[in-house]
Each structure stands twice: as C-alpha cells, then as structure tokens.
Amino acid sequence: MSTPTAQLAAAGVSIWLDDLSRTRISSGNLAELIASRNVVGVTTNPTIFANAITDKNDTSYDAQVTELAASGASAEDAVFAATTQDVRAALDVFRPVWEESGHVDGRVSIEVSPDLAHDTDGTVAQAKELWDRIDRPNLLVKIPATKAGLPAITEAIANGISVNVTLIFSLERYAEVIEAYLTGLERAKEAGIDLSTIHSVASFFVSRVDTETDKRLTAIGTDAATALKSKAGLANARLAYELFEKTFAEKRAQDLLAAGANVQRPLWASTGVKDPALPDTLYVTELVADGVVNTMPEKTLEATFDHAVVTGDTITGGYEEAREVFAGLAEVGVDFDAVTEVLEEEGVAKFIDSWHDLLAQVTEALEAQR
C-alpha cells in the first residue's frame, strides 16, 4: 500500500516542508521525513526562524549565541550566522535528494531580510551575500514579489543565483514574476552562465486568499456570496498554473529551455487550512498537477500522510470553473484586486514584524551573555 504522500509524489508533486530548526536537523527528524513522508525540500521564513531560535525548550542555539556575544556580534549578524548554519546543514542532508532528482529538488530556501522588501539594490546585495556565504548549489534565495523585488529577481537570476520568489497573490504579479525570471535567464545566457544550474520556484499563496476573500463575502452576506466562500484560493492557484503552462509553452521560454534552462515551477504556499470547517488537506489534494511544489507546515504534512485522498490531477481540468468563481466574486461585489493588494502589504508587514521580534529577542539573548 503506497502512502498518500507517495501517491502525491507519483503524481508529480514535490513535497516540501515549511519549517526548519537546528533540532529538527540534529535529531534526525529531517532525514526521517525524507525517508517516510516523501519530503524533498524545505522552505523557511523569518517567522519560522523566530519560532526556532526563541523556543525556550530548544537549547541547540545557546552555545552559538554565547560565542557570538563574546565576539561582539550585532543581533542581525547573529541571526544570519545561526540561520545560514541551519540552512547549510539542511542542504547537506538534502544533497542525495538533489542528486537523485537531477538537481530539481533537494532544495532549501533562505529569505533576504524583510526590511529590504522595497529596496532593490539592498535585496540584490544580500542575495549575493547569502549565496556566497552558504555556498551550496541546492540553495534557493527567497525574494518577495514586490515591485522592488521584481528587478532584484532578474538581477539575481542573471548572476546565476537560484531564487524562490515569495508572496505572490495575483495573476498579474505572477506574470511579472515569470517575466523577471525569463529576462534574468536571457542575461545569464549572454554572460555565458550555464542555464541548467539556475533554478527557481514561484510561491503562490493559497489559504490567505480565502481568509481575506471570505471575510468580504461574509460582510456581503447574501446567499450568492456565501456560496462562493473557500473557493477563491483554489481558483486563483489553478489559473496561475494555466498561466504557467501557457507562458512556458511560448517561443521565448522554449528557446531558453532548449538552451538548457529550467522552468520556474509553481509552488503552493500557505497550504495550512485556516478554517476548521474545511478538510485539513484541501490545499494539497485540490492542487495536484505534474511539476508543482507544495510546501506544507508539519501539521498539514502529517494530515496528508494520514488520510489525504489523492485522485490525480485536480488542476488542469478546472480552469473554466475557476473563471466562473471570479465572475461570481465580481458579481457579488468583491474587488479581488483590492484583496491581493491587501494580502501583499500584510504579507510583507507580517514578515517584517517577525523579523524585528526575532532581532529583539536575539539582542536580549546576546546582552544576557555579555
């Protein structure tokens, strides 16, 4: 009997874990998830590291904090020292997966400082610094899909840096992200960089779309509005996959692929279900297609392993239905452009808040050692 996670993998979905800590690596838990849960990658963000480093029950960072305090490191230097060490160690655990997958999976992401979300030059400089400091070919540097992030994505790709583009909520912005990637590849090709070494995923957020849209549908309160609840997130993601298929089938992308480039895979992020009335594997089983990544919080991963019903491709036949959902939203008065705008602003703000919370707690820990 194959497990639901094995069935997902067989359907072409790469399962990544949306979590990382030093203890998860050192205890062997990460290796166990690779072996038993078909996990082939990891994503991180400032919130994940804030939870790991400030966990009072986790003493695995104590010795490094003591050492950093003695060296006079700033909180930001200390955070980057700790997180880059963890990511490098995780990349080494995933090295065999990276080799076996033809360098497609076995990936771990680390994010540039959220304070740089609206600073193109700062983002590029830090992407280069992280790439050089971690020095592993299976790394992905995470850059947000803000207006300032788009040229930074192009610049990073042009320099041969593999990128996880994060915080994508709208189809319009996703089209700009693919454009940024293709432009970066064209520049890398001109510079003589081996295109096959550059990888990218485009992280399209799902459950947050439903949370914000459903709030508006509840406020409208009509039967027609209520009938549309919990449908926008899946519809949005399915149309993103349609855009992915269409754009990478065009001549510009095909020429780059023929020159050795890789497609920029869609990644489903924010796949933990927020509404307890919904099935806890909804954003997994309903977003299955060949060549996508689904990054899951551990709770969602375990629910998927335990009881997900995988029925094959649940994306490519649903484009018309997805368009009907958006027509319905417009009809009842939901401004979806406003929804995605709010989500991007909130997404950046949440990561900045987590980042500053982490810096404050690390400052406190460093000062306690001095």
Side-chain angles (χ1 to χ4, degrees):
M1 283 284 287
S2 77
T3 65
T5 54
Q7 290 162 20
L8 262 186
V13 178
S14 291
I15 300 170
W16 291 5
L17 176 70
D18 194 28
D19 190 55
L20 188 65
S21 68
R22 191 162 293 179
T23 303
R24 192 184 283 285
I25 299 164
S26 61
S27 67
N29 172 262
L30 185 59
E32 171 58 26
L33 292 176
I34 294 169
S36 68
R37 302 291 190 266
N38 304 89
V39 170
V40 292
V42 156
T43 48
T44 68
N45 60 47
T47 306
I48 285 169
F49 279 127
N51 292 340
I53 294 172
T54 60
D55 181 355
K56 300 290 184 233
N57 299 315
D58 186 348
T59 59
S60 60
Y61 295 96
D62 293 359
Q64 188 175 21
V65 169
T66 303
E67 192 183 302
L68 288 162
S71 73
S74 69
E76 192 152 339
D77 288 342
V79 168
F80 277 115
T83 57
T84 54
Q85 182 176 317
D86 287 355
V87 167
R88 191 182 300 111
L91 286 162
D92 290 343
V93 173
F94 276 110
R95 187 70 180 234
V97 175
W98 180 73
E99 297 284 10
E100 286 159 20
S101 68
H103 302 173
V104 172
D105 283 311
R107 300 268 162 187
V108 183
S109 302
I110 190 168
E111 190 153 352
V112 296
S113 164
D115 282 338
L116 300 172
H118 304 295
D119 177 351
T120 302
D121 293 343
T123 296
V124 171
Q126 196 169 93
K128 289 177 178 175
E129 185 190 342
L130 288 168
W131 187 255
D132 291 342
R133 190 192 292 199
I134 293 171
D135 192 26
R136 295 292 186 275
N138 45 336
L139 176 68
L140 290 173
V141 177
K142 255 178 138 173
I143 298 175
T146 55
K147 280 293 186 188
L150 294 169
I153 292 157
T154 295
E155 190 66 29
I157 295 293
N159 280 275
I161 297 170
S162 293
V163 175
N164 174 348
V165 182
T166 189
L167 292 176
I168 308 172
F169 297 99
S170 72
L171 294 176
E172 292 73 22
R173 184 55 53 86
Y174 180 37
E176 292 176 313
V177 166
I178 298 174
E179 169 66 29
Y181 176 60
L182 296 177
T183 303
L185 287 175
E186 286 162 348
R187 285 184 44 200
K189 186 183 174 195
E190 282 167 23
I193 294 170
D194 178 357
L195 297 188
S196 70
T197 64
I198 304 170
H199 285 256
S200 184
V201 292
S203 297
F204 214 85
F205 281 54
V206 189
S207 68
R208 290 191 201 180
V209 169
D210 275 341
T211 303
E212 182 62 30
T213 307
D214 289 0
K215 193 164 72 180
R216 293 166 190 238
L217 290 169
T218 300
I220 293 164
T222 62
D223 288 347
T226 303
L228 288 163
K229 287 176 82 169
S230 307
K231 291 186 175 177
L234 291 174
N236 202 36
R238 285 170 178 156
L239 293 179
Y241 190 81
E242 183 187 38
L243 180 61
F244 157 73
E245 284 187 309
K246 178 178 169 291
T247 311
F248 280 93
E250 290 168 357
K251 185 179 185 305
R252 181 187 182 193
Q254 286 294 311
D255 286 349
L256 286 163
L257 298 181
N262 301 288
V263 296
Q264 182 185 52
R265 291 185 292 167
L267 178 151
W268 312 130
S270 179
T271 56
V273 171
K274 309 282 195 288
D275 181 347
L278 297 173
D280 55 3
T281 61
L282 179 72
Y283 302 121
V284 177
T285 59
E286 295 304 311
L287 289 175
V288 176
D290 188 33
V292 302
V293 181
N294 194 309
T295 187
M296 309 177 198
E298 188 169 24
K299 189 178 172 187
T300 305
L301 174 66
E302 289 305 321
T304 299
F305 178 79
D306 180 65
H307 55 258
V309 178
V310 179
T311 58
D313 186 333
T314 49
I315 293 180
T316 57
Y319 301 149
E320 284 316 309
E321 192 183 328
R323 275 187 268 278
E324 283 166 19
V325 169
F326 283 104
L329 289 171
E331 231 168 79
V332 300
V334 172
D335 180 350
F336 195 71
D337 288 344
V339 168
T340 57
E341 203 173 302
V342 164
L343 288 170
E344 183 180 312
E345 286 170 11
E346 277 184 358
V348 172
K350 279 177 185 169
F351 281 161
I352 288 173
D353 288 347
S354 289
W355 177 246
H356 286 206
D357 183 43
L358 175 57
L359 290 178
Q361 295 198 54
V362 170
T363 299
E364 200 178 299
L366 289 169
E367 283 172 359
Q369 297 286 340
R370 284 176 179 149

